[in-house]
Amino acid sequence: MDWPHDPDGEEGSEGMRKYDMAIIAKKVDEEEDFPLERDDLVAEHGDDPIRINHQTVVALRDIFEYVDQEEFETITDMHKAVGNAMREGGFWEYHPEGANPEKKPA
């Protein structure tokens, strides 16, 4: 896919130092943008690349396909919804203890 900017450039993941949630959070202003409509965020940033890990980059809209919540009252609400969506969509391999019953304890 041709990205609107380099996912590892200054507008992206800052040379691969920032991943997924950190990149999404930089697209909003915690003071001014909330409450925030999910569809407004996707309309503005849907094609932006989000680096998931060292080898995977997806469009923001791909992640938000799994976000059911239509509006976020706070940035914390957005983080929770996006985290759940990333787990549901298989973007993250990490699952909090108890969230993945098939995972064996270490």
Side-chain angles (χ1 to χ4, degrees):
M1 176 173 190
D2 290 329
W3 300 108
H5 57 265
D6 178 358
D8 296 322
E10 282 303 309
E11 295 179 60
S13 60
E14 298 178 2
M16 293 182 61
R17 290 186 303 275
K18 301 254 188 245
Y19 292 89
D20 47 62
M21 194 71 78
I23 299 168
I24 295 170
K26 289 178 79 172
K27 298 184 180 304
V28 297
D29 183 311
E30 187 172 359
E31 302 291 321
E32 296 181 17
D33 291 341
F34 292 88
L36 176 68
E37 296 287 328
R38 174 198 62 211
D39 293 346
D40 292 345
L41 179 65
V42 173
E44 185 172 347
H45 298 287
D47 291 331
D48 289 1
I50 306 298
R51 180 166 289 288
I52 302 299
N53 57 41
H54 70 284
Q55 60 189 15
T56 306
V57 177
V58 300
L60 180 136
R61 77 175 63 258
D62 294 341
I63 295 167
F64 274 74
E65 283 182 24
Y66 296 91
V67 174
D68 295 328
Q69 194 170 331
E70 294 178 9
E71 182 179 83
F72 313 110
E73 287 298 318
T74 67
I75 195 165
T76 301
D77 293 336
M78 183 186 81
H79 280 298
K80 289 177 182 178
V82 171
N84 289 336
M86 292 184 79
R87 284 182 198 90
E88 182 182 335
F91 298 101
W92 276 349
E93 295 177 10
Y94 169 77
H95 298 279
E97 190 172 325
N100 184 355
E102 295 177 18
K103 184 177 179 182
K104 306 283 186 243

